[in-house]
Each structure stands twice: as C-alpha cells, then as structure tokens.
Amino acid sequence: MQYSDLLIETHGKVAVIRLNRPKAMNALNDNMMNELGDALYKFDADSNINCIVLTGSEKAFAAGADIAAMANYNYQDTHGGNYIGRNWEHILNIRKPVIGACAGYVLGGGCELAMMCDFLIAAENAKFGQPEIKVGVTPGAGGTQRLPRTIGKSKAMDMLLTTRMIDAAEAERTGLVSRVVPTEKLIEEAIAIATQIAAMPVSVAMQIKDAVNRAFETTLTEGVRYERRYFHAGFGTPAQKEGMSAFLEKRAPKFDGL
C-alpha cells in the first residue's frame, strides 16, 4: 500500500499504520483520514493480519485536526458536508484489535482518534488534551463523550474547559491509557504486545472486542447475556477445541487460521 500521508509496515501478523504529516505535526485532514480508512479496511480484510497498531511520530501522534484546512469553513461546509462523520470514524468499524501507540502531542482530534482505538500505549513523553475551546468550537469527534466515559466527568470537564494537558503518567492513572513505556521503546513494545494478541485466535479476539464495546452501549444484564451467547457459541468452534486440547495436553496451542 502506498499513501501520501501514511507509512505502512507489517511484522508477521501485525500491521503498523503510521500517521505521516511531519510538517503539520500529523494534523488530521481529509486526505489522511481517507487513507487511514482505506488502510484499516484492507488490513481488516487481510487474513494474514490479526492485529493493527496505529501510531504517529515521536513528536506527535496527532496534534489535532488541521485548522488551516477548516478555518474558512461555514456551517454548510461542516454540517452539509458531514465533516468528521464522512471519514473519521472508519476505525470504529474495524473488527480486529487496533492498538494506539501514542508519543508526543495527542491533542484535539488526535486525542479523539486515539480514544477510538481499542486501547492505548503511551510513551513517557505523551501529552493528552482537548483544546478545542481555544479555537472557538466544541470537540466534534467524541471528546465530550468518550473522554468522560473513560476518565470521569470531573477530570474530563477540567481538560475540556481549561485546555489542561495531562502527561502519560496521569493518563495511565485515570485509565485513558493502559501502559506507559519509554519513548524510545514505544513501537517495539507496541509491536510486541500486538504480536502477543495476534498469536491468539483472531475470531475470539474479535468477539471480545465486540462484547467489550457492547458494554458501553447497553445495560449490565443485557451485556452479560450478549457475552454469554459468544461463550456458548465458542464450544462449536475449532479455536475452543484446539485451546482446551492444548491445555489438557500441556502444549502450546496452534491458533493459525482460527
């Protein structure tokens, strides 16, 4: 795959997508988001890929939406043209696990894109924030919705209203990121974690992802019922037969193709 605003590489069953607009601190524009959707869908359909890592540069995962590109938009341009909705949320349709590996600035639309990943690994130099109020608008890609669901109302209100950035350590304490690693080892660690996931049965990984996401959209009782249907259905799959046989035989399971 060749793109102008992305760099692509693969490591076994792991795909790495790197946002690549260095002069703009990886500010998100239409072309980048169109390319990102295309790459994500292709890897989601690729039977050789089981896990995806989304990252940026050491200076910035993404410093926000491209203000230079949207400064002169009017209401018809944004509402009529379905700005953001038309091409920012493809990542939410991806069934395979997507890990966000964040270094440097993770701000505005960049923070919102990161929160659309399944979980985040942060470099020690990462800074997270939602500074949209400074440019006269509200967040538009989930900042007022996913952030409080992740870190709580009080902390989210603080970040959204004061534009305060939080560092990687605070992001981990509040649950915004799952792990913090040395900046120089971010990609190495992310690929290692993705490789561990990719060695599991991808069919089960997709079910877990679906069930966890369902937890945010329904009640606890309905969520558990949804989960249990997957659990019961698992007993008719090759992944369950191989996994439990391997456990009883005290050997490593072989989940290739499952």
PDB file of all heavy atoms in Angstrom, residues 193-212:
ATOM      1  N   ILE A 193       3.351  -6.331  21.995  1.00  0.00           N
ATOM      2  CA  ILE A 193       2.013  -6.562  22.543  1.00  0.00           C
ATOM      3  C   ILE A 193       1.057  -7.018  21.444  1.00  0.00           C
ATOM      4  O   ILE A 193       0.276  -7.958  21.621  1.00  0.00           O
ATOM      5  CB  ILE A 193       1.498  -5.282  23.224  1.00  0.00           C
ATOM      6  CG1 ILE A 193       2.344  -4.968  24.461  1.00  0.00           C
ATOM      7  CG2 ILE A 193       0.021  -5.420  23.608  1.00  0.00           C
ATOM      8  CD1 ILE A 193       2.169  -3.562  24.993  1.00  0.00           C
ATOM      9  N   ALA A 194       1.144  -6.369  20.288  1.00  0.00           N
ATOM     10  CA  ALA A 194       0.282  -6.753  19.166  1.00  0.00           C
ATOM     11  C   ALA A 194       0.596  -8.158  18.684  1.00  0.00           C
ATOM     12  O   ALA A 194      -0.307  -8.915  18.308  1.00  0.00           O
ATOM     13  CB  ALA A 194       0.445  -5.754  18.026  1.00  0.00           C
ATOM     14  N   THR A 195       1.864  -8.538  18.721  1.00  0.00           N
ATOM     15  CA  THR A 195       2.260  -9.886  18.310  1.00  0.00           C
ATOM     16  C   THR A 195       1.690 -10.927  19.266  1.00  0.00           C
ATOM     17  O   THR A 195       1.257 -12.011  18.844  1.00  0.00           O
ATOM     18  CB  THR A 195       3.794  -9.997  18.256  1.00  0.00           C
ATOM     19  OG1 THR A 195       4.288  -9.064  17.278  1.00  0.00           O
ATOM     20  CG2 THR A 195       4.235 -11.400  17.871  1.00  0.00           C
ATOM     21  N   GLN A 196       1.668 -10.595  20.554  1.00  0.00           N
ATOM     22  CA  GLN A 196       1.065 -11.495  21.545  1.00  0.00           C
ATOM     23  C   GLN A 196      -0.423 -11.682  21.254  1.00  0.00           C
ATOM     24  O   GLN A 196      -0.945 -12.805  21.298  1.00  0.00           O
ATOM     25  CB  GLN A 196       1.266 -10.918  22.945  1.00  0.00           C
ATOM     26  CG  GLN A 196       0.726 -11.798  24.062  1.00  0.00           C
ATOM     27  CD  GLN A 196       0.954 -11.178  25.442  1.00  0.00           C
ATOM     28  OE1 GLN A 196       1.388 -10.044  25.567  1.00  0.00           O
ATOM     29  NE2 GLN A 196       0.644 -11.936  26.476  1.00  0.00           N
ATOM     30  N   ILE A 197      -1.121 -10.586  20.942  1.00  0.00           N
ATOM     31  CA  ILE A 197      -2.547 -10.670  20.609  1.00  0.00           C
ATOM     32  C   ILE A 197      -2.748 -11.445  19.309  1.00  0.00           C
ATOM     33  O   ILE A 197      -3.653 -12.283  19.195  1.00  0.00           O
ATOM     34  CB  ILE A 197      -3.147  -9.257  20.498  1.00  0.00           C
ATOM     35  CG1 ILE A 197      -3.131  -8.558  21.864  1.00  0.00           C
ATOM     36  CG2 ILE A 197      -4.565  -9.305  19.931  1.00  0.00           C
ATOM     37  CD1 ILE A 197      -3.491  -7.093  21.805  1.00  0.00           C
ATOM     38  N   ALA A 198      -1.876 -11.182  18.319  1.00  0.00           N
ATOM     39  CA  ALA A 198      -2.014 -11.809  17.003  1.00  0.00           C
ATOM     40  C   ALA A 198      -1.814 -13.315  17.053  1.00  0.00           C
ATOM     41  O   ALA A 198      -2.247 -14.036  16.149  1.00  0.00           O
ATOM     42  CB  ALA A 198      -1.034 -11.179  16.021  1.00  0.00           C
ATOM     43  N   ALA A 199      -1.152 -13.809  18.108  1.00  0.00           N
ATOM     44  CA  ALA A 199      -0.947 -15.247  18.248  1.00  0.00           C
ATOM     45  C   ALA A 199      -2.182 -15.951  18.800  1.00  0.00           C
ATOM     46  O   ALA A 199      -2.267 -17.181  18.761  1.00  0.00           O
ATOM     47  CB  ALA A 199       0.248 -15.518  19.159  1.00  0.00           C
ATOM     48  N   MET A 200      -3.134 -15.190  19.302  1.00  0.00           N
ATOM     49  CA  MET A 200      -4.382 -15.747  19.813  1.00  0.00           C
ATOM     50  C   MET A 200      -5.346 -15.972  18.640  1.00  0.00           C
ATOM     51  O   MET A 200      -5.134 -15.454  17.547  1.00  0.00           O
ATOM     52  CB  MET A 200      -5.007 -14.794  20.841  1.00  0.00           C
ATOM     53  CG  MET A 200      -4.108 -14.404  21.973  1.00  0.00           C
ATOM     54  SD  MET A 200      -3.646 -15.809  23.028  1.00  0.00           S
ATOM     55  CE  MET A 200      -2.545 -14.982  24.186  1.00  0.00           C
ATOM     56  N   PRO A 201      -6.438 -16.711  18.858  1.00  0.00           N
ATOM     57  CA  PRO A 201      -7.409 -16.885  17.772  1.00  0.00           C
ATOM     58  C   PRO A 201      -8.085 -15.554  17.450  1.00  0.00           C
ATOM     59  O   PRO A 201      -8.735 -14.957  18.311  1.00  0.00           O
ATOM     60  CB  PRO A 201      -8.401 -17.903  18.334  1.00  0.00           C
ATOM     61  CG  PRO A 201      -8.228 -17.860  19.809  1.00  0.00           C
ATOM     62  CD  PRO A 201      -6.810 -17.487  20.063  1.00  0.00           C
ATOM     63  N   VAL A 202      -7.918 -15.095  16.217  1.00  0.00           N
ATOM     64  CA  VAL A 202      -8.452 -13.783  15.843  1.00  0.00           C
ATOM     65  C   VAL A 202      -9.973 -13.766  15.924  1.00  0.00           C
ATOM     66  O   VAL A 202     -10.573 -12.731  16.234  1.00  0.00           O
ATOM     67  CB  VAL A 202      -7.956 -13.369  14.440  1.00  0.00           C
ATOM     68  CG1 VAL A 202      -8.523 -14.270  13.354  1.00  0.00           C
ATOM     69  CG2 VAL A 202      -8.285 -11.909  14.153  1.00  0.00           C
ATOM     70  N   SER A 203     -10.602 -14.896  15.709  1.00  0.00           N
ATOM     71  CA  SER A 203     -12.066 -14.952  15.810  1.00  0.00           C
ATOM     72  C   SER A 203     -12.518 -14.617  17.223  1.00  0.00           C
ATOM     73  O   SER A 203     -13.510 -13.891  17.421  1.00  0.00           O
ATOM     74  CB  SER A 203     -12.569 -16.337  15.401  1.00  0.00           C
ATOM     75  OG  SER A 203     -12.018 -17.346  16.244  1.00  0.00           O
ATOM     76  N   VAL A 204     -11.814 -15.124  18.224  1.00  0.00           N
ATOM     77  CA  VAL A 204     -12.177 -14.846  19.619  1.00  0.00           C
ATOM     78  C   VAL A 204     -11.816 -13.403  19.978  1.00  0.00           C
ATOM     79  O   VAL A 204     -12.554 -12.729  20.706  1.00  0.00           O
ATOM     80  CB  VAL A 204     -11.495 -15.842  20.575  1.00  0.00           C
ATOM     81  CG1 VAL A 204     -11.893 -15.558  22.016  1.00  0.00           C
ATOM     82  CG2 VAL A 204     -11.868 -17.273  20.200  1.00  0.00           C
ATOM     83  N   ALA A 205     -10.696 -12.913  19.475  1.00  0.00           N
ATOM     84  CA  ALA A 205     -10.313 -11.520  19.727  1.00  0.00           C
ATOM     85  C   ALA A 205     -11.392 -10.568  19.216  1.00  0.00           C
ATOM     86  O   ALA A 205     -11.739  -9.583  19.890  1.00  0.00           O
ATOM     87  CB  ALA A 205      -8.976 -11.209  19.074  1.00  0.00           C
ATOM     88  N   MET A 206     -11.940 -10.852  18.056  1.00  0.00           N
ATOM     89  CA  MET A 206     -12.994 -10.005  17.503  1.00  0.00           C
ATOM     90  C   MET A 206     -14.263 -10.087  18.338  1.00  0.00           C
ATOM     91  O   MET A 206     -14.959  -9.090  18.532  1.00  0.00           O
ATOM     92  CB  MET A 206     -13.271 -10.389  16.049  1.00  0.00           C
ATOM     93  CG  MET A 206     -12.142 -10.030  15.103  1.00  0.00           C
ATOM     94  SD  MET A 206     -12.543 -10.190  13.342  1.00  0.00           S
ATOM     95  CE  MET A 206     -12.795 -11.962  13.185  1.00  0.00           C
ATOM     96  N   GLN A 207     -14.575 -11.262  18.869  1.00  0.00           N
ATOM     97  CA  GLN A 207     -15.743 -11.404  19.724  1.00  0.00           C
ATOM     98  C   GLN A 207     -15.568 -10.630  21.029  1.00  0.00           C
ATOM     99  O   GLN A 207     -16.497  -9.960  21.503  1.00  0.00           O
ATOM    100  CB  GLN A 207     -15.992 -12.889  20.014  1.00  0.00           C
ATOM    101  CG  GLN A 207     -16.448 -13.679  18.800  1.00  0.00           C
ATOM    102  CD  GLN A 207     -16.396 -15.184  19.037  1.00  0.00           C
ATOM    103  OE1 GLN A 207     -15.995 -15.651  20.101  1.00  0.00           O
ATOM    104  NE2 GLN A 207     -16.792 -15.947  18.032  1.00  0.00           N
ATOM    105  N   ILE A 208     -14.377 -10.730  21.628  1.00  0.00           N
ATOM    106  CA  ILE A 208     -14.104  -9.988  22.868  1.00  0.00           C
ATOM    107  C   ILE A 208     -14.227  -8.489  22.629  1.00  0.00           C
ATOM    108  O   ILE A 208     -14.846  -7.759  23.411  1.00  0.00           O
ATOM    109  CB  ILE A 208     -12.710 -10.355  23.415  1.00  0.00           C
ATOM    110  CG1 ILE A 208     -12.723 -11.796  23.952  1.00  0.00           C
ATOM    111  CG2 ILE A 208     -12.273  -9.372  24.504  1.00  0.00           C
ATOM    112  CD1 ILE A 208     -11.357 -12.326  24.320  1.00  0.00           C
ATOM    113  N   LYS A 209     -13.644  -8.017  21.528  1.00  0.00           N
ATOM    114  CA  LYS A 209     -13.727  -6.596  21.187  1.00  0.00           C
ATOM    115  C   LYS A 209     -15.184  -6.163  21.042  1.00  0.00           C
ATOM    116  O   LYS A 209     -15.598  -5.129  21.590  1.00  0.00           O
ATOM    117  CB  LYS A 209     -12.950  -6.326  19.898  1.00  0.00           C
ATOM    118  CG  LYS A 209     -13.122  -4.911  19.349  1.00  0.00           C
ATOM    119  CD  LYS A 209     -12.212  -4.662  18.164  1.00  0.00           C
ATOM    120  CE  LYS A 209     -12.471  -3.292  17.544  1.00  0.00           C
ATOM    121  NZ  LYS A 209     -11.461  -2.910  16.540  1.00  0.00           N
ATOM    122  N   ASP A 210     -15.972  -6.942  20.344  1.00  0.00           N
ATOM    123  CA  ASP A 210     -17.379  -6.626  20.144  1.00  0.00           C
ATOM    124  C   ASP A 210     -18.129  -6.601  21.472  1.00  0.00           C
ATOM    125  O   ASP A 210     -18.929  -5.692  21.737  1.00  0.00           O
ATOM    126  CB  ASP A 210     -17.998  -7.654  19.196  1.00  0.00           C
ATOM    127  CG  ASP A 210     -19.449  -7.352  18.874  1.00  0.00           C
ATOM    128  OD1 ASP A 210     -19.794  -6.172  18.691  1.00  0.00           O
ATOM    129  OD2 ASP A 210     -20.247  -8.308  18.801  1.00  0.00           O
ATOM    130  N   ALA A 211     -17.865  -7.579  22.326  1.00  0.00           N
ATOM    131  CA  ALA A 211     -18.579  -7.667  23.602  1.00  0.00           C
ATOM    132  C   ALA A 211     -18.199  -6.521  24.535  1.00  0.00           C
ATOM    133  O   ALA A 211     -19.064  -5.956  25.220  1.00  0.00           O
ATOM    134  CB  ALA A 211     -18.296  -9.015  24.267  1.00  0.00           C
ATOM    135  N   VAL A 212     -16.913  -6.171  24.585  1.00  0.00           N
ATOM    136  CA  VAL A 212     -16.491  -5.057  25.430  1.00  0.00           C
ATOM    137  C   VAL A 212     -17.116  -3.749  24.947  1.00  0.00           C
ATOM    138  O   VAL A 212     -17.615  -2.939  25.738  1.00  0.00           O
ATOM    139  CB  VAL A 212     -14.954  -4.948  25.482  1.00  0.00           C
ATOM    140  CG1 VAL A 212     -14.527  -3.657  26.180  1.00  0.00           C
ATOM    141  CG2 VAL A 212     -14.353  -6.151  26.202  1.00  0.00           C
TER     142      VAL A 212
END
